Amino acid sequence: GAVVSQHPSRVICKSGTSVKIECRSLDFQATTMFWYRQFPKQSLMLMATSNEGSKATYEQGVEKDKFLINHASLTLSTLTVTSAHPEDSSFYICSASGKKYEQYFGPGTRLTVT
Amino acid sequence: QQQVKQSPQSLIVQKGGISIINCAYENTAFDYFPWYQQFPGKGPALLIAIRPDVSEKKEGRFTISFNKSAKQFSLHIMDSQPGDSATYFCAASWAGSARQLTFGSGTQLTVLP
């Protein structure tokens, strides 16, 4: 149990375009979902926390107009990187938590902006 | 005060040996301490977790030791195998932060065959 999927697993886009990443909890209802960014050989950096049906809470320094998060249901959250630039290239990972303490991570999405 | 400090940064162990990774925290409100295993290009996988009401938790070859007074916890991997070679992250959370995880900096474990 506790499976979280992400789609796509990797995406290459041109500078200036927008990219949407989906995060789904497959076998549990996720009251809270989190989005992280990870650079090579570094720890995970929390970008935002979202609860179903409410606006996401962004961490300091994360542009909410650039990284749009929607948590439309208890099993789906999306991250849209708007007007992507090469510096947005990174590994984006979502996680989901249910009623208990555990947080389960998706497999990640490798974004490359050319 | 939200930091979780993890050491060592990298660790090389012979097959069959014991791998030990340590973490220390400052925020006494933390009440959940998970360890994650991450392979290159993959998302972190929950390995084992502990709450502060117990001092040790064992699952298979993986053991968490928890010292509340010292504000430290550690992961022990017994009989380490080459397949255990990965990056390990400790983390901590508390209810007041919407259960956001505060991660350690990670330990790159290499188990030599």
Side-chain angles (χ1 to χ4, degrees):
Chain A
V3 179
V4 177
S5 70
Q6 265 184 258
H7 178 79
S9 58
R10 56 178 60 216
V11 57
I12 301 173
C13 71
K14 292 186 181 298
S15 184
T17 61
S18 295
V19 174
K20 180 184 284 188
I21 303 170
E22 288 188 351
C23 176
R24 295 181 184 273
S25 57
L26 299 185
D27 52 1
F28 68 102
Q29 293 187 325
T31 53
T32 306
M33 286 185 167
F34 304 86
W35 286 94
Y36 295 84
R37 188 173 179 177
Q38 187 177 35
F39 293 103
K41 298 190 183 299
Q42 292 190 22
S43 190
L44 288 82
M45 182 184 78
L46 179 66
M47 298 175 66
T49 302
S50 73
N51 292 293
E52 184 261 342
S54 60
K55 290 184 178 181
T57 302
Y58 291 82
E59 295 300 299
Q60 191 173 11
V62 177
E63 300 174 59
K64 61 181 180 181
D65 294 330
K66 181 170 188 59
F67 298 99
L68 301 178
I69 293 172
N70 183 278
H71 193 161
S73 75
L74 285 172
T75 59
L76 173 64
S77 177
T78 60
L79 167 68
T80 301
V81 183
T82 62
S83 186
H85 291 284
E87 58 265 30
D88 299 324
S89 298
S90 191
F91 192 51
Y92 292 87
I93 314 173
C94 71
S95 69
S97 65
K99 295 180 181 179
K100 295 187 177 181
Y101 313 106
E102 293 89 354
Q103 200 172 123
Y104 297 94
F105 285 80
T109 296
R110 173 73 59 192
L111 170 63
T112 303
V113 185
T114 61
Chain B
Q1 197 176 20
Q2 289 293 324
Q3 274 189 324
V4 175
K5 295 184 179 180
Q6 183 172 347
S7 63
Q9 186 176 8
S10 62
L11 180 61
I12 299 174
V13 174
Q14 292 287 340
K15 178 183 176 181
I18 302 173
S19 304
I20 301 174
I21 305 171
N22 301 298
C23 285
Y25 63 97
E26 290 294 326
N27 186 354
T28 55
F30 285 144
D31 63 358
Y32 174 67
F33 303 88
W35 284 89
Y36 286 88
Q37 178 190 57
Q38 185 179 29
F39 293 103
K42 305 294 183 183
L46 180 61
L47 201 57
I48 186 172
I50 198 168
R51 298 207 66 207
D53 51 346
V54 297
S55 60
E56 186 176 281
K57 183 175 181 180
K58 183 177 180 179
E59 290 184 2
R61 296 185 293 111
F62 301 94
T63 299
I64 298 179
S65 296
F66 185 81
N67 187 328
K68 188 174 181 178
S69 60
K71 292 185 286 185
Q72 295 176 349
F73 59 110
S74 60
L75 175 69
H76 296 233
I77 305 174
M78 312 299 288
D79 187 27
S80 299
Q81 299 297 312
D84 296 331
S85 297
T87 300
Y88 293 81
F89 292 98
C90 63
S93 75
W94 63 294
S97 67
R99 288 293 165 195
Q100 293 174 358
L101 289 171
T102 298
F103 280 93
S105 54
T107 296
Q108 176 68 56
L109 172 65
T110 301
V111 181
L112 301 176

